[in-house]
């Protein structure tokens, strides 16, 4: 469309682009104040033990209640937060809030509950992440072993050497590490033995057609077998049916997460 743009097409294109960048600038300005104005909220999605079918923890998923645009999912603002550096403040807020919530679950008698927090590519590349995590643990008095940091396979692969350093430092603090969206990163599997990882999260794209598609079933079984021989735990994301849950349980997957068990829910409405 752009290539063969005559006068009208080009003007249309420019106008659209200007509108898009104006929207982006406005979003950036709004995001700058989102934390202090209390517009962010966290929903928690239970992580279920496949063997006992009981919740063992929850993943924190951030949402933005935007004053004009309404409720925005993370895919609409985390990339912008990463690009603008606002992720530092946003990520620190999520970590503190999730750690505080996990501490509250412990205090309510839920033994050994774990909370998982997503860490973006930019957050993971910044040395100050270590202070932010230490600060969240100190302020909440949450035992480090109750905190799981989820890092996507893609951010781990961006720079395996510095990823290894960061992961070792996090492990020294006693927190757990999960590889998020595993299987989507076109990565070499050899990094798995070089990085101190505890958990592999099987991406939901392999779970969606697990019961209909033999190839997906074969991939999921291979991931679970690989994780098992490396002594890593597995969590399957995006479990939407009892059939998928059963296939995963029989394949030896340790934990399940998905709409079949619970949608992400504000902590106040969640029964863990
Ligand atoms: P993710 O960490 O892979 O999270 C899983 C996503 O799958 C979540 O989307 C969740 O709501 C959704 N999901 C859960 N169960 C099902 C299911 O059964 N079926 C389907 N189709 N989807 C399901 P959400 O909440 O929109 O989050 C999207 C991504 O945004 C997350 O992917 C994560 O990468 C990122 N994110 C979320 N919260 C944070 C945060 O606090 N910080 C950072 N840096 N990133 C975050
Ligand atoms: Mg995640
Ligand atoms: Mg994921
Ligand atoms: Mg994802």
């Amino acid at each position: 469309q752009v290539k063969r743009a005559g006068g009208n097409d080009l003007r249309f294109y420019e106008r659209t682009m200007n509108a898009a960048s104006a929207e982006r600038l406005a979003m950036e300005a709004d995001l700058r104040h989102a934390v202090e104005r209390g517009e962010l909220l966290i929903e928690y999605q239970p992580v279920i033990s496949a063997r006992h079918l009981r919740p063992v923890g929850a993943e924190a998923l951030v949402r933005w209640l935007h004053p004009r645009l309404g409720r925005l999912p993370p895919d609409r603002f985390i990339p912008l937060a990463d690009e603008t550096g606002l992720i530092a403040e946003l990520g620190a807020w999520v970590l503190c809030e999730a750690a505080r919530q996990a501490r509250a679950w412990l205090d309510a008698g839920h033994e050994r509950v774990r909370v998982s927090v997503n860490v973006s590519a930019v957050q993971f590349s910044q040395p100050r992440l270590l202070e932010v995590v230490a600060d969240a643990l100190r302020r909440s008095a949450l035992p480090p072993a109750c905190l799981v940091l989820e890092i996507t396979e893609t951010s781990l692969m961006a720079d395996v050497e510095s990823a290894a350093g960061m992961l070792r430092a996090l492990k020294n603090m006693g927190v757990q590490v999960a590889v998020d969206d595993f299987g989507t990163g076109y990565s070499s599997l050899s990094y798995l033995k070089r990085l101190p990882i505890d958990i592999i999260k099987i991406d939901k794209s392999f779970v969606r057609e697990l019961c209909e598609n033999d190839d997906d079933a074969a991939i999921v079984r291979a991931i679970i077998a690989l994780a098992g021989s490396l002594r890593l735990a597995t969590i399957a994301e995006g479990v939407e049916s009892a059939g998928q849950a059963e296939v995963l349980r029989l394949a030896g997957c340790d934990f399940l997460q998905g709409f079949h068990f619970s949608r992400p829910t504000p902590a106040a409405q969640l029964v863990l």
Side-chain angles (χ1 to χ4, degrees), residues 45 59 62-63 74 118 120 180-181 204 237-238 240 258-259 264:
Q45 185 177 43
E59 178 176 5
V62 71
R63 282 87 180 79
N118 292 282
S120 80
D180 207 345
D181 302 346
K204 55 182 174 297
E237 312 182 313
E240 296 188 356
F259 297 166

Side-chain angles (χ1 to χ4, degrees), residues 76-255:
R76 288 279 302 277
F77 60 92
I78 294 290
L80 181 64
D82 262 354
E83 287 163 32
T84 55
L86 293 170
I87 192 69
E89 189 193 359
L90 189 160
W93 180 82
V94 173
L95 264 163
C96 276
E97 183 55 29
R100 196 199 50 72
Q101 181 58 56
R103 180 72 241 184
W105 284 325
L106 284 180
D107 292 342
H110 204 299
E111 278 173 63
R112 291 165 52 177
V113 77
R114 283 194 290 188
V115 73
S116 302
V117 176
N118 292 282
V119 172
S120 80
V122 170
Q123 264 178 298
F124 185 65
S125 69
Q126 295 175 343
R128 70 166 277 192
L129 175 65
L130 295 170
E131 287 158 51
V132 171
V133 170
D135 194 49
L137 291 171
R138 193 170 46 239
R139 282 160 54 170
S140 61
L142 183 71
C146 296
L147 179 64
V148 181
L149 298 181
E150 296 195 0
I151 299 146
T152 64
E153 187 177 30
T154 320
S155 15
L156 289 175
M157 295 308 295
D159 179 350
V160 180
E161 277 322 303
S162 47
M166 176 58 93
L167 292 182
R168 272 194 298 272
L170 289 168
K171 294 303 300 169
N172 285 339
M173 295 172 58
V175 305
Q176 306 257 96
V177 172
V179 184
D180 207 345
D181 302 346
F182 184 82
T184 60
Y186 302 102
S187 57
S188 127
L189 291 176
S190 67
Y191 81 93
L192 284 176
K193 68 168 190 196
R194 296 207 280 137
L195 299 178
I197 290 160
D198 305 287
I199 303 164
I200 283 178
K201 293 197 79 170
I202 304 169
D203 191 68
K204 55 182 174 297
S205 59
F206 304 113
V207 175
R208 193 178 304 125
E209 294 168 26
L210 184 60
C211 299
E212 297 82 36
N213 186 319
D214 291 345
D215 294 339
D216 286 334
I219 290 169
V220 164
R221 287 201 181 86
I223 294 174
I224 293 168
L226 174 72
S229 44
L230 295 170
R231 287 175 302 282
L232 306 175
T234 43
I235 304 182
E237 312 182 313
V239 180
E240 296 188 356
S241 72
Q244 291 166 343
E246 187 59 5
V247 171
L248 288 158
R249 188 183 67 81
L250 291 173
C253 187
D254 301 298
F255 304 105

Side-chain angles (χ1 to χ4, degrees), residues 31-79:
L31 191 56
R32 213 163 274 287
H33 302 289
V35 172
E36 67 197 47
R37 289 179 184 159
E39 294 169 358
L40 297 180
L41 71 101
I42 300 180
E43 291 186 332
Y44 294 88
Q45 185 177 43
V47 175
I48 309 293
S49 150
R51 189 175 312 160
H52 308 102
L53 293 182
R54 275 201 304 263
V56 294
E59 178 176 5
L61 296 158
V62 71
R63 282 87 180 79
W64 181 11
L65 292 178
H66 189 282
R68 269 180 306 118
L69 302 171
R71 188 196 150 83
L72 299 179
D75 295 339
R76 288 279 302 277
F77 60 92
I78 294 290

